[in-house]
Amino acid sequence: MRTMELAKRSKLVFMSLLLSVSVFTTSCGSGKDGANLEIPGVTGPVVSLQQDDVLITMVFDNLQLQGGLRYAIPKYPNSYIEMSPDLQSNGTLMAVSISLDDIFDGSLSNLDPQSLPGGRALPGVASGRLPAVAFSIEKFNNMGVYLGPDIFGIFIPVKGLNLENSIITARFYAGGDRVGNLSLVGEDQDGENGGFLLMLDMKSSVKKRLKKQAKKY
C-alpha cells in the first residue's frame, strides 16, 4: 500500500514538473525573436549598458516598498543595488548597477569560489562554482554576484517558482542578441534558495568592446 502511495506521489510530482517546464518554455525565444524566459511575479530582467556601467533592472510585481534604498555590493566598490517603488506599477523596481571598473578589477578573481545559495552547482559552469560574494539586503536573503574569466552572473532570490528542486536554463537576449543564459532555480529540499540566475557572456570579444566603452568614461 505504501509503495502504491509513493508511486502515485512521484507521478504527481513528475507531472507537476512537466507542466511547469511546458509553461516556462513557451516563453523562450527560438533565437530569432529574442524572447526571454518569463519569471512568475517578475517583469524582466532587462540588461543595458549605461556609460561604463552594466545596468540590470527588474520589477517585482507583488512586492511593495514605501521608499527607496540603495545598497553597496560587497567587494564591488563602484557598484550598487537600488530599490524603489515602480512608477509604472504597484510593484518594486530593482536596479543592479555593475561598474565595468569593478568587473575588470583583477582582485575579484581571487574571491573564494561559490556555488548557488544552498550548495547546488551553478548551471552551465563546468566546475559548478565561480569566485563570488554572497550577501543579503532587505526582503532578499542570500543574493550572490559571480565573476569568472568569461562569465558575470547574479543570483536574485524569488519564491513561488514551484519547480520542485529543479533548474531550468534558457538563452537570454538583450536587443535581439544573445548575451548569456537565464536559469530558474526551484526551491531546494528544505523549501529554500529559489530564485533566478542571470549569467552574462564575458568572452574576450565582449570584454574588448566593454573595455573600449569604459575608457570613454
Side-chain angles (χ1 to χ4, degrees):
M1 188 69 176
R2 180 173 174 79
T3 302
M4 291 179 63
E5 288 178 357
L6 288 174
K8 184 183 292 186
R9 195 174 181 184
S10 298
K11 185 177 180 181
L12 287 173
V13 169
F14 177 71
M15 292 300 294
S16 174
L17 177 58
L18 271 183
L19 180 59
S20 298
V21 170
S22 67
V23 169
F24 288 127
T25 54
T26 53
S27 58
C28 295
S30 63
K32 297 178 181 179
D33 58 1
N36 287 323
L37 205 62
E38 292 183 2
I39 306 169
V42 179
T43 301
V46 176
V47 177
S48 60
L49 190 60
Q50 303 290 327
Q51 296 185 350
D52 59 345
D53 298 309
V54 176
L55 185 64
I56 306 169
T57 59
M58 65 212 78
V59 174
F60 295 87
D61 304 328
N62 303 316
L63 177 63
Q64 295 183 345
L65 291 180
Q66 297 303 314
L69 295 168
R70 178 177 288 194
Y71 304 88
I73 298 178
K75 307 295 184 180
Y76 284 69
N78 304 295
S79 303
Y80 61 87
I81 294 175
E82 189 164 16
M83 298 184 64
S84 60
D86 182 41
L87 289 173
Q88 297 179 318
S89 72
N90 292 323
T92 293
L93 172 67
M94 176 185 284
V96 183
S97 179
I98 304 294
S99 170
L100 294 179
D101 291 336
D102 292 343
I103 289 179
F104 297 131
D105 182 352
S107 65
L108 293 177
S109 62
N110 296 323
L111 293 171
D112 291 336
Q114 298 188 38
S115 52
L116 286 170
R120 285 174 289 179
L122 292 168
V125 178
S127 65
R129 297 157 64 87
L130 286 173
V133 290
F135 59 99
S136 297
I137 62 176
E138 186 179 357
K139 306 291 187 182
F140 293 88
N141 293 321
N142 296 328
M143 298 182 69
V145 178
Y146 303 85
L147 183 62
D150 302 311
I151 300 172
F152 170 80
I154 184 166
F155 177 81
I156 307 291
V158 176
K159 295 181 179 179
L161 294 181
N162 299 319
L163 287 178
E164 301 289 346
N165 199 27
S166 299
I167 299 177
I168 297 173
T169 300
R171 294 175 176 85
F172 182 80
Y173 299 90
D177 297 321
R178 184 188 180 187
V179 295
N181 285 348
L182 179 64
S183 299
L184 301 184
V185 181
E187 287 86 352
D188 57 23
Q189 63 271 16
D190 298 320
E192 299 176 345
N193 299 312
F196 67 87
L197 175 71
L198 178 63
M199 302 287 269
L200 300 178
D201 186 358
M202 288 291 172
K203 60 188 176 186
S204 57
S205 59
V206 174
K207 283 184 178 178
K208 189 178 295 185
R209 292 199 302 270
L210 291 177
K211 285 181 178 179
K212 187 179 295 186
Q213 176 77 9
K215 286 182 180 178
K216 294 180 181 179
Y217 302 93

